[in-house]
């Protein structure tokens, strides 16, 4: 059989799931020593499964993915429920491929990061592997109903991982998370059904849905429904309040997945459904998205600054960084959209590394309150160095991927011809204010944890051992792509460039067409920053 | 020759490699690497030396008249949009390369002596190398976006190096302050870059200037907006080159080890602002209002810096304010259009200020033997005095540097400062007056520094002064004990540590520093004394070499004319007046601090308020703290309150309402049909009543 003909995506999705099913067969043993042995075996088992899956993804990417093709690749489609026209159909294009790679990479590292987990290792690793599959599924499936299923499927492991291995307020956080996201999912389902049943044919296939021509009013409705769902996930102010709680209570590996991948699902789905399927509505909603993006950047940066809990601080910083994704999506330029995708991948890497380090610090200090730390840099120079590097990456230091992404969004938005100059000026200034705020909260965080004289109480009560090789290895793995993309962004952008270019040109065409036929009315007219007529074809 | 240019990218890459090797070594094999002290330093110094030789060769080739060289590659792209990076070697870049590499090389040699006993020796070399790499990348940047990249990177290195002794509270505060203040400048720079790109569609300096002038002329962009864009870009240099009002970080940055103060916060990085103005000259020179703003910012900074430096007792703080003041001169020169003069002063200042800082480091190193490793004691000039006897080489080189900065001919500073003042006078006599007065103040505070450090009796063992200094330090700590500033315990800890240190001093008198430290001093003394001779008004080789691109041809012709039409009269008047005021300053300093015929304390008492204003740095830090720091901190707290109470509160309220209604409905739904029927009946009755009433 030819290597190109293998059902690669299905294999990589099902492999971790199948492997997870073997976990119950690990012998159950009495006694502490034996249990530790089992935990040890489980760890390696999960890690190897994760690694193999990642290698499979890379092989599929390397041999069967063509950079210059803007369409779907690695496509598979099998009929599942013919009555509903429900198909198992997966595929990857420039939008999903980077995120699939990111998922494989981060999840494998998260398994490696969960070495210290000793509570119920069987269930833990089972859930981790199940989540692996669920996450890959969300990015790969090309069927609306299937997408909804995958979206829901990945919630359950997160809920359990939060509510069993979380911090003190884990139940509250987990419940909040599940209520929020499940509430959001409802909107996806409704919108998906509406789209599927609209018109002559009933179909859930995404490309078929994309081809359908919805009237503008319906598009606006559908767009709002999707937006609510994805705004919860991404998150967008004011639907973000689940995130500090969930992130504040999760353990490090879960944390890495939450920040590294789950947030990206929101961004991915926003581009995939709102932008790709409802481009006309997007033309109307874009200015609103931009405004929300700016609110995200500044609001979350300010809350992060005032936050005294380390995990919640970083959690808010995630919200702030997602603002750039939203603005990039709404910029109507190649550069902006490209920057948005880059920012998603970049934040996936940086967020994961920061959260991992927060976990590593917590393992030693056993406190997350900043004022209870101080001066630990002397005892833990390696963690100090890594934390500093990752914080600098997060504040968009040049030479790291975050800088390129933010710069692309900045330049893309500033040169966008879809908005009036005044609006652009205002937004760019506010975005740049975020650039001042980010170092303030990140550096003052470093200041409070590591700098200054040692906190006597902490030093006396806690064994502050420095990073072990495993931890250094994880951070090194994350830093290599962060710095690699920072030095030479084309490494990553070439993977999806064809796709974003095609998408942008389609968006612009639709926007120009729309401007010729109608003009914004009602509440949309009040905002009026969007001047579609000025778009030149 | 071409080969040399093709491989010019090695200049920043070599130190980067060095930093990476040491960095990886420190993370992976920290104990082993930290022990490889001499090996690491030799490795880094060799790499920097190689970069220096390379730069020298390029510089020579440029002097010989080689055409500017440029190499670009596509860095990032999206669709048909491309961002390019690369390097350019022209006269300005070659000059900066030589300045940066030579100072960096000497500072690295010096570091071996200065940091000999520091546990972070290897880490320090890694940072130094990383900084050199970023700075070299900055000076060969061909476009604004790359300048911005390296601009941020040098800022990051500065952050790391100021906070090098991270267990010291003040250093921790200072590094954060430096980074954030610079980010405020970068905020303007970024906006300016974006705005100029939006207007002109390019990041290239020359092209940008041309297109902007076309736009303004054709009416596509009003001059006012062009001015706003240029001022935004100028905000970058304002922060980086410590210009008023963003100068506050530089004096605090002296918390870093002294070699850093010499390399980054005197000779190279802070001059990057002036360098950027030089690169942006094609844009700036077309907008008169911007040039005026630049010139006045420079003048105000020059005066402000000098006025504060007069009363500082910490030798490094004094030098820091003097750096600020000299940077003000350079910026002022740029503002009045004296491009060559500004860069000339940048070069001479780089050498003599680096030497002065290294000299002060040598003094501190000597003092630490007597008073222990407490910066509050080791750096205070009130404890010094008479050091010439113990540290002759340091004293002589420091004197040369002092003469150079005061503008005494034939030392380097005279020629560059004279040129700046001369060009300023031609544009605005008021600005000249500010510069002239500042020159007098400079001579005064520099000689005050020299006399109180190297002349008179040694006061290092005076218990009374020591106690007073300790007391002042505690007071300072107490003042900065604002909310979140520091732990109250720190105060106690600090004093304990000090007592411990003080008990451990090694000798009663300081000694001359080791050769590794005096050698760079001696080498730097040569350019400090002589380099001004390349830019004398009667044979201005410097001006002929360095000139803005756009004026290339015109300037060469002009300078040739200027050479012929050199006016002795004018030179003597201008030069004479600046030397004159310098001599007045020196005489005053000598009377007050050498022969003690005038009591400075009495004067200070007479003008108490002015004295306090200068001593407290015009209270600018306090004002910023009260207005900006507290204000924004308060805002952040408010926003968090809103987030927790209102945004999240609504969510929880929704959950609570759902719960309560659920609980409430539970009692209604009891499964008895009669009860349901009752409710239906009641509802119908209610509806009928309502419809009947209305």
């Amino acid at each position: 059989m030819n290597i190109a003909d293998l059902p690669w995506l299905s294999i990589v999705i099902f492999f971790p799931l199948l492997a997870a099913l073997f976990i119950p067969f690990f012998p159950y043993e009495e006694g502490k020593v034996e249990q530790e042995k089992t935990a040890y075996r489980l760890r390696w088992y999960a890690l190897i499964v994760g690694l193999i899956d990642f290698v499979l993804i890379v092989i599929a990417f390397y041999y069967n993915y063509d950079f210059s093709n803007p369409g779907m690749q690695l496509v598979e489609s099998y009929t599942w429920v013919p009555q509903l026209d429900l198909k198992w159909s997966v595929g990857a294009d420039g939008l999903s491929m980077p995120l699939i790679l990111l998922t494989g990479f981060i999840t494998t590292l998260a398994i490696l990061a969960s070495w210290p987990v000793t509570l119920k290792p069987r269930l833990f690793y089972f859930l981790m592997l199940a989540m692996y599959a669920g996450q890959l599924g969300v990015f790969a499936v090309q069927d609306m109903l299937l997408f909804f299923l995958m979206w829901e499927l990945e919630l359950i492991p997160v809920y359990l991982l939060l509510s069993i291995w979380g911090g003190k307020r884990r139940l509250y956080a987990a419940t909040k998370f599940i209520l929020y996201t499940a509430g959001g999912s409802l909107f996806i389902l409704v919108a998906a059904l509406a789209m599927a049943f609209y018109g002559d044919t009933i179909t859930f296939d995404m490309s078929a849905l994309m081809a359908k021509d919805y009237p503008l009013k319906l598009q606006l409705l559908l767009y709002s429904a999707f937006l609510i769902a994805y705004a919860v996930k991404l998150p967008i102010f004011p639907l973000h309040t689940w995130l500090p709680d969930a992130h504040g209570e999760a353990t490090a590996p879960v944390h890495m997945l939450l920040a590294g991948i789950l947030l990206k699902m929101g961004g991915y789905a926003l581009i995939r459904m709102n932008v790709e399927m409802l481009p006309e509505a997007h033309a109307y909603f874009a200015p609103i998205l931009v405004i929300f993006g700016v609110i995200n950047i500044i609001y979350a940066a300010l809350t992060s600054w005032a936050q005294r809990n380390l995990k919640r601080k970083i959690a808010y910083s995630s919200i702030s960084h997602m603002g750039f994704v939203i603005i990039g999506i709404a910029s109507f330029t190649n550069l902006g959209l490209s920057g948005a995708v880059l920012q998603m991948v970049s934040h996936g890497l940086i967020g994961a590394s920061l959260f991992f380090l927060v976990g590593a610090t917590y393992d030693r200090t056993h406190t997350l309150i900043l004022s209870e730390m101080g001066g630990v840099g002397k005892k833990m120079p390696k963690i100090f160095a890594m934390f500093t590097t990752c914080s600098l990456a997060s504040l968009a230091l040049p030479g790291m991927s975050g800088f390129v992404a933010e710069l692309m969004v900045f330049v893309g938005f500033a040169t966008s011809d879809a908005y009036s100059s005044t609006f652009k000026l205002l937004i760019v200034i506010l975005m740049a204010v975020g650039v001042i705020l980010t170092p303030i909260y990140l550096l003052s965080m470093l200041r409070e944890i590591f700098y200054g004289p040692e906190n006597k109480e902490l030093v006396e009560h806690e064994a502050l051992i420095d990073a072990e090789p495993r931890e250094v290895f994880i951070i090194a793995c994350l830093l290599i792509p962060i710095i690699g993309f920072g030095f030479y962004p084309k490494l990553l952008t070439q993977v999806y460039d064809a796709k974003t270019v095609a998408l942008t040109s389609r968006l612009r065409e639709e926007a120009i067409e729309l401007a010729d036929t109608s003009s914004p009315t009602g509440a949309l007219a009040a905002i009026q920053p969007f001047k579609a007529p000025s778009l030149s074809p | 020759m071409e080969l040399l240019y093709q491989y010019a990218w090695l200049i920043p890459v070599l130190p980067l490699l060095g930093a990476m090797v040491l960095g990886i070594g420190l993370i992976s094999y920290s104990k082993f690497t930290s022990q490889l002290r001499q090996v690491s330093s030799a490795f880094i110094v060799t790499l920097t030396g190689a970069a220096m030789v390379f730069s020298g060769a390029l510089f020579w080739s440029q002097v010989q008249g080689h055409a500017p060289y440029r190499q670009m590659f596509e860095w990032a792209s999206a669709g048909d949009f491309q961002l390019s990076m690369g390097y350019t070697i022209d006269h300005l870049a070659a000059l900066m390369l030589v300045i940066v590499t030579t100072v960096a090389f000497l500072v690295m040699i010096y570091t071996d002596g200065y940091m000999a006993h520091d546990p972070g020796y290897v880490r320090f070399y890694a940072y130094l190398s990383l900084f050199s790499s970023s700075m070299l990348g900055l000076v060969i940047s061909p476009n604004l976006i790359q300048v911005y990249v390296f601009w941020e990177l040098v800022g990051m290195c500065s952050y790391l190096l100021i906070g090098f002794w991270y267990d010291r509270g003040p250093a921790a505060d200072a590094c954060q302050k430096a980074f954030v203040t610079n980010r405020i400048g970068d905020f303007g720079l970024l906006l300016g870059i974006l705005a100029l790109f939006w207007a002109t569609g390019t990041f290239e300096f020359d092209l940008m200037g041309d297109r902007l002038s076309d736009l303004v002329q054709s009416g596509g962009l009003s001059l006012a907006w062009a001015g706003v864009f240029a001022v935004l870009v100028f905000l970058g240099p304002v922060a980086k080159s410590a210009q008023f009002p963003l100068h506050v970080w530089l004096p605090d940055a002296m918390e870093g080890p002294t070699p850093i103060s010499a390399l980054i916060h005197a000779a190279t990085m802070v001059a990057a602002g002036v360098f950027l103005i030089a690169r942006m000259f094609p844009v700036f020179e077309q907008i008169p209002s911007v040039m005026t703003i630049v010139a006045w910012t420079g003048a105000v900074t020059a005066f402000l810096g000098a006025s504060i430096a007069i009363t500082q007792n910490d030798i490094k703080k004094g030098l820091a304010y003097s750096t600020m003041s000299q940077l003000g001169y350079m910026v002022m020169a740029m503002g009045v259009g004296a491009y060559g003069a500004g860069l000339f002063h940048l070069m001479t200042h780089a050498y003599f200020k680096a030497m002065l800082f290294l000299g002060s480091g040598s003094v501190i190193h000597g003092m630490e033997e007597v008073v222990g490793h407490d910066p509050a004691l080791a750096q205070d000039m009130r404890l010094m005095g008479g050091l010439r006897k113990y540290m002759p080489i340091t004293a002589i080189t420091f004197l040369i540097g002092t003469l150079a900065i005061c503008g005494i001919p034939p030392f380097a500073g005279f020629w560059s400062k004279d040129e700046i003042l001369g060009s300023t006078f031609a544009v605005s006599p008021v600005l000249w007056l500010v510069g002239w007065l500042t020159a007098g103040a400079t001579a005064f505070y520099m000689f005050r520094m020299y006399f109180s450090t190297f002349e008179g009796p040694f006061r290092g063992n005076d218990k009374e002064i020591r106690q007073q200094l300790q007391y002042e330090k505690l007071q300072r700590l107490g003042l900065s004990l604002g909310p979140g500033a520091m732990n109250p315990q720190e105060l106690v800890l600090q004093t304990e540590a000090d007592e411990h240190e003080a008990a451990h001093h090694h000798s009663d008198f300081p000694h001359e520093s080791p050769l590794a430290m005096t050698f760079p001093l001696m080498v730097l003394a040569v350019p400090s004394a002589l380099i001004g001779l390349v830019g004398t008004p009667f044979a201005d080789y410097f001006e002929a070499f360095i000139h803005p691109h756009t004026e290339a041809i015109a300037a060469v012709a002009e300078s040739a004319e200027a050479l012929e039409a050199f006016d002795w009269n004018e030179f003597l008047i201008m030069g004479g007046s600046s030397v004159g005021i310098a001599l007045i300053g020196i005489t005053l300093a000598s009377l007050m601090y050498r022969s003690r015929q005038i009591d400075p304390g009495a004067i200070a008492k007479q003008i108490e308020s002015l004295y306090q204003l200068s001593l407290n740095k015009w209270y600018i830090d306090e004002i910023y703290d009260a207005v900006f720091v507290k204000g924004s901190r308060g805002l952040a707290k408010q926003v968090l309150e809103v987030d927790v109470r209102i945004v999240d509160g609504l969510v929880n309220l929704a959950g609570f309402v759902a719960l309560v209604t659920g609980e409430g409905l539970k009692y209604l739904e009891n499964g008895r049909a009669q009860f349901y029927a009752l409710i239906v009946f009641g509802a119908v009755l209610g509806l009928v009543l309502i419809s009947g009433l209305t």
Side-chain angles (χ1 to χ4, degrees), chain A residues 277-294:
Chain A
M277 294 184 183
L278 310 164
E280 286 177 15
H282 182 62
Y284 280 102
F285 269 97
I288 301 173
L289 280 186
V290 170
I291 291 166
F292 274 111
V294 162

PDB file of all heavy atoms in Angstrom, chain A residues 277-294:
ATOM      1  N   MET A 277     -17.321  30.249   6.452  1.00  0.00           N
ATOM      2  CA  MET A 277     -18.650  29.868   5.980  1.00  0.00           C
ATOM      3  C   MET A 277     -19.587  31.059   5.886  1.00  0.00           C
ATOM      4  O   MET A 277     -20.530  31.037   5.115  1.00  0.00           O
ATOM      5  CB  MET A 277     -19.264  28.844   6.927  1.00  0.00           C
ATOM      6  CG  MET A 277     -18.515  27.552   6.910  1.00  0.00           C
ATOM      7  SD  MET A 277     -19.344  26.370   7.937  1.00  0.00           S
ATOM      8  CE  MET A 277     -18.248  25.009   7.812  1.00  0.00           C
ATOM      9  N   LEU A 278     -19.355  32.074   6.694  1.00  0.00           N
ATOM     10  CA  LEU A 278     -20.275  33.213   6.709  1.00  0.00           C
ATOM     11  C   LEU A 278     -19.524  34.511   6.426  1.00  0.00           C
ATOM     12  O   LEU A 278     -19.505  35.426   7.248  1.00  0.00           O
ATOM     13  CB  LEU A 278     -20.963  33.305   8.077  1.00  0.00           C
ATOM     14  CG  LEU A 278     -21.580  32.010   8.590  1.00  0.00           C
ATOM     15  CD1 LEU A 278     -21.869  32.102  10.070  1.00  0.00           C
ATOM     16  CD2 LEU A 278     -22.864  31.706   7.833  1.00  0.00           C
ATOM     17  N   PRO A 279     -18.866  34.588   5.278  1.00  0.00           N
ATOM     18  CA  PRO A 279     -17.990  35.743   5.035  1.00  0.00           C
ATOM     19  C   PRO A 279     -18.732  37.065   5.004  1.00  0.00           C
ATOM     20  O   PRO A 279     -18.190  38.093   5.402  1.00  0.00           O
ATOM     21  CB  PRO A 279     -17.354  35.436   3.681  1.00  0.00           C
ATOM     22  CG  PRO A 279     -18.213  34.414   3.059  1.00  0.00           C
ATOM     23  CD  PRO A 279     -18.882  33.656   4.147  1.00  0.00           C
ATOM     24  N   GLU A 280     -19.983  37.041   4.535  1.00  0.00           N
ATOM     25  CA  GLU A 280     -20.695  38.324   4.470  1.00  0.00           C
ATOM     26  C   GLU A 280     -20.986  38.847   5.867  1.00  0.00           C
ATOM     27  O   GLU A 280     -20.804  40.024   6.156  1.00  0.00           O
ATOM     28  CB  GLU A 280     -22.000  38.150   3.686  1.00  0.00           C
ATOM     29  CG  GLU A 280     -21.743  38.002   2.213  1.00  0.00           C
ATOM     30  CD  GLU A 280     -23.017  37.752   1.433  1.00  0.00           C
ATOM     31  OE1 GLU A 280     -24.116  37.965   1.982  1.00  0.00           O
ATOM     32  OE2 GLU A 280     -22.908  37.325   0.283  1.00  0.00           O
ATOM     33  N   ALA A 281     -21.435  37.947   6.729  1.00  0.00           N
ATOM     34  CA  ALA A 281     -21.685  38.371   8.105  1.00  0.00           C
ATOM     35  C   ALA A 281     -20.394  38.819   8.750  1.00  0.00           C
ATOM     36  O   ALA A 281     -20.378  39.750   9.554  1.00  0.00           O
ATOM     37  CB  ALA A 281     -22.302  37.231   8.898  1.00  0.00           C
ATOM     38  N   HIS A 282     -19.321  38.187   8.375  1.00  0.00           N
ATOM     39  CA  HIS A 282     -18.029  38.568   8.953  1.00  0.00           C
ATOM     40  C   HIS A 282     -17.704  40.015   8.618  1.00  0.00           C
ATOM     41  O   HIS A 282     -17.152  40.742   9.443  1.00  0.00           O
ATOM     42  CB  HIS A 282     -16.931  37.652   8.437  1.00  0.00           C
ATOM     43  CG  HIS A 282     -15.590  37.938   9.015  1.00  0.00           C
ATOM     44  ND1 HIS A 282     -15.322  37.831  10.367  1.00  0.00           N
ATOM     45  CD2 HIS A 282     -14.431  38.364   8.454  1.00  0.00           C
ATOM     46  CE1 HIS A 282     -14.063  38.156  10.590  1.00  0.00           C
ATOM     47  NE2 HIS A 282     -13.509  38.496   9.449  1.00  0.00           N
ATOM     48  N   ALA A 283     -18.069  40.427   7.412  1.00  0.00           N
ATOM     49  CA  ALA A 283     -17.813  41.816   7.041  1.00  0.00           C
ATOM     50  C   ALA A 283     -18.537  42.770   7.991  1.00  0.00           C
ATOM     51  O   ALA A 283     -18.048  43.855   8.291  1.00  0.00           O
ATOM     52  CB  ALA A 283     -18.257  42.057   5.606  1.00  0.00           C
ATOM     53  N   TYR A 284     -19.702  42.349   8.457  1.00  0.00           N
ATOM     54  CA  TYR A 284     -20.432  43.200   9.398  1.00  0.00           C
ATOM     55  C   TYR A 284     -19.856  43.119  10.799  1.00  0.00           C
ATOM     56  O   TYR A 284     -19.792  44.096  11.527  1.00  0.00           O
ATOM     57  CB  TYR A 284     -21.909  42.776   9.456  1.00  0.00           C
ATOM     58  CG  TYR A 284     -22.707  43.313   8.316  1.00  0.00           C
ATOM     59  CD1 TYR A 284     -23.036  42.518   7.240  1.00  0.00           C
ATOM     60  CD2 TYR A 284     -23.118  44.638   8.323  1.00  0.00           C
ATOM     61  CE1 TYR A 284     -23.763  43.010   6.185  1.00  0.00           C
ATOM     62  CE2 TYR A 284     -23.840  45.142   7.270  1.00  0.00           C
ATOM     63  CZ  TYR A 284     -24.167  44.327   6.202  1.00  0.00           C
ATOM     64  OH  TYR A 284     -24.876  44.836   5.179  1.00  0.00           O
ATOM     65  N   PHE A 285     -19.471  41.912  11.167  1.00  0.00           N
ATOM     66  CA  PHE A 285     -19.053  41.715  12.552  1.00  0.00           C
ATOM     67  C   PHE A 285     -17.608  42.120  12.805  1.00  0.00           C
ATOM     68  O   PHE A 285     -17.211  42.297  13.947  1.00  0.00           O
ATOM     69  CB  PHE A 285     -19.248  40.249  12.950  1.00  0.00           C
ATOM     70  CG  PHE A 285     -20.596  39.981  13.549  1.00  0.00           C
ATOM     71  CD1 PHE A 285     -21.628  39.476  12.781  1.00  0.00           C
ATOM     72  CD2 PHE A 285     -20.825  40.253  14.885  1.00  0.00           C
ATOM     73  CE1 PHE A 285     -22.864  39.233  13.335  1.00  0.00           C
ATOM     74  CE2 PHE A 285     -22.064  40.014  15.448  1.00  0.00           C
ATOM     75  CZ  PHE A 285     -23.087  39.501  14.671  1.00  0.00           C
ATOM     76  N   ALA A 286     -16.825  42.234  11.721  1.00  0.00           N
ATOM     77  CA  ALA A 286     -15.386  42.458  11.899  1.00  0.00           C
ATOM     78  C   ALA A 286     -15.066  43.632  12.828  1.00  0.00           C
ATOM     79  O   ALA A 286     -14.247  43.488  13.749  1.00  0.00           O
ATOM     80  CB  ALA A 286     -14.717  42.627  10.543  1.00  0.00           C
ATOM     81  N   PRO A 287     -15.686  44.810  12.620  1.00  0.00           N
ATOM     82  CA  PRO A 287     -15.344  45.917  13.526  1.00  0.00           C
ATOM     83  C   PRO A 287     -15.647  45.605  14.985  1.00  0.00           C
ATOM     84  O   PRO A 287     -14.893  46.010  15.887  1.00  0.00           O
ATOM     85  CB  PRO A 287     -16.203  47.077  13.038  1.00  0.00           C
ATOM     86  CG  PRO A 287     -16.907  46.638  11.846  1.00  0.00           C
ATOM     87  CD  PRO A 287     -16.626  45.218  11.574  1.00  0.00           C
ATOM     88  N   ILE A 288     -16.737  44.855  15.200  1.00  0.00           N
ATOM     89  CA  ILE A 288     -17.073  44.495  16.579  1.00  0.00           C
ATOM     90  C   ILE A 288     -15.996  43.579  17.145  1.00  0.00           C
ATOM     91  O   ILE A 288     -15.562  43.723  18.289  1.00  0.00           O
ATOM     92  CB  ILE A 288     -18.454  43.815  16.617  1.00  0.00           C
ATOM     93  CG1 ILE A 288     -19.485  44.781  16.045  1.00  0.00           C
ATOM     94  CG2 ILE A 288     -18.824  43.410  18.029  1.00  0.00           C
ATOM     95  CD1 ILE A 288     -20.846  44.189  15.870  1.00  0.00           C
ATOM     96  N   LEU A 289     -15.551  42.642  16.296  1.00  0.00           N
ATOM     97  CA  LEU A 289     -14.483  41.754  16.734  1.00  0.00           C
ATOM     98  C   LEU A 289     -13.253  42.557  17.117  1.00  0.00           C
ATOM     99  O   LEU A 289     -12.608  42.291  18.131  1.00  0.00           O
ATOM    100  CB  LEU A 289     -14.117  40.782  15.610  1.00  0.00           C
ATOM    101  CG  LEU A 289     -14.994  39.570  15.392  1.00  0.00           C
ATOM    102  CD1 LEU A 289     -14.370  38.668  14.345  1.00  0.00           C
ATOM    103  CD2 LEU A 289     -15.167  38.795  16.675  1.00  0.00           C
ATOM    104  N   VAL A 290     -12.920  43.536  16.282  1.00  0.00           N
ATOM    105  CA  VAL A 290     -11.726  44.342  16.560  1.00  0.00           C
ATOM    106  C   VAL A 290     -11.857  45.022  17.920  1.00  0.00           C
ATOM    107  O   VAL A 290     -10.923  45.012  18.732  1.00  0.00           O
ATOM    108  CB  VAL A 290     -11.514  45.389  15.454  1.00  0.00           C
ATOM    109  CG1 VAL A 290     -10.443  46.380  15.857  1.00  0.00           C
ATOM    110  CG2 VAL A 290     -11.149  44.714  14.153  1.00  0.00           C
ATOM    111  N   ILE A 291     -13.035  45.573  18.166  1.00  0.00           N
ATOM    112  CA  ILE A 291     -13.229  46.276  19.435  1.00  0.00           C
ATOM    113  C   ILE A 291     -13.097  45.304  20.608  1.00  0.00           C
ATOM    114  O   ILE A 291     -12.413  45.582  21.595  1.00  0.00           O
ATOM    115  CB  ILE A 291     -14.598  46.986  19.444  1.00  0.00           C
ATOM    116  CG1 ILE A 291     -14.561  48.144  18.442  1.00  0.00           C
ATOM    117  CG2 ILE A 291     -14.930  47.506  20.830  1.00  0.00           C
ATOM    118  CD1 ILE A 291     -15.899  48.719  18.108  1.00  0.00           C
ATOM    119  N   PHE A 292     -13.694  44.132  20.442  1.00  0.00           N
ATOM    120  CA  PHE A 292     -13.564  43.140  21.519  1.00  0.00           C
ATOM    121  C   PHE A 292     -12.115  42.694  21.682  1.00  0.00           C
ATOM    122  O   PHE A 292     -11.651  42.441  22.794  1.00  0.00           O
ATOM    123  CB  PHE A 292     -14.479  41.949  21.267  1.00  0.00           C
ATOM    124  CG  PHE A 292     -15.868  42.165  21.790  1.00  0.00           C
ATOM    125  CD1 PHE A 292     -16.935  42.325  20.929  1.00  0.00           C
ATOM    126  CD2 PHE A 292     -16.095  42.244  23.149  1.00  0.00           C
ATOM    127  CE1 PHE A 292     -18.209  42.539  21.405  1.00  0.00           C
ATOM    128  CE2 PHE A 292     -17.369  42.457  23.644  1.00  0.00           C
ATOM    129  CZ  PHE A 292     -18.427  42.613  22.775  1.00  0.00           C
ATOM    130  N   GLY A 293     -11.428  42.604  20.563  1.00  0.00           N
ATOM    131  CA  GLY A 293     -10.022  42.216  20.642  1.00  0.00           C
ATOM    132  C   GLY A 293      -9.221  43.206  21.467  1.00  0.00           C
ATOM    133  O   GLY A 293      -8.425  42.832  22.327  1.00  0.00           O
ATOM    134  N   VAL A 294      -9.471  44.481  21.216  1.00  0.00           N
ATOM    135  CA  VAL A 294      -8.726  45.499  21.962  1.00  0.00           C
ATOM    136  C   VAL A 294      -9.111  45.466  23.438  1.00  0.00           C
ATOM    137  O   VAL A 294      -8.248  45.578  24.317  1.00  0.00           O
ATOM    138  CB  VAL A 294      -8.976  46.880  21.345  1.00  0.00           C
ATOM    139  CG1 VAL A 294      -8.601  47.968  22.306  1.00  0.00           C
ATOM    140  CG2 VAL A 294      -8.180  47.011  20.082  1.00  0.00           C
TER     141      VAL A 294
END
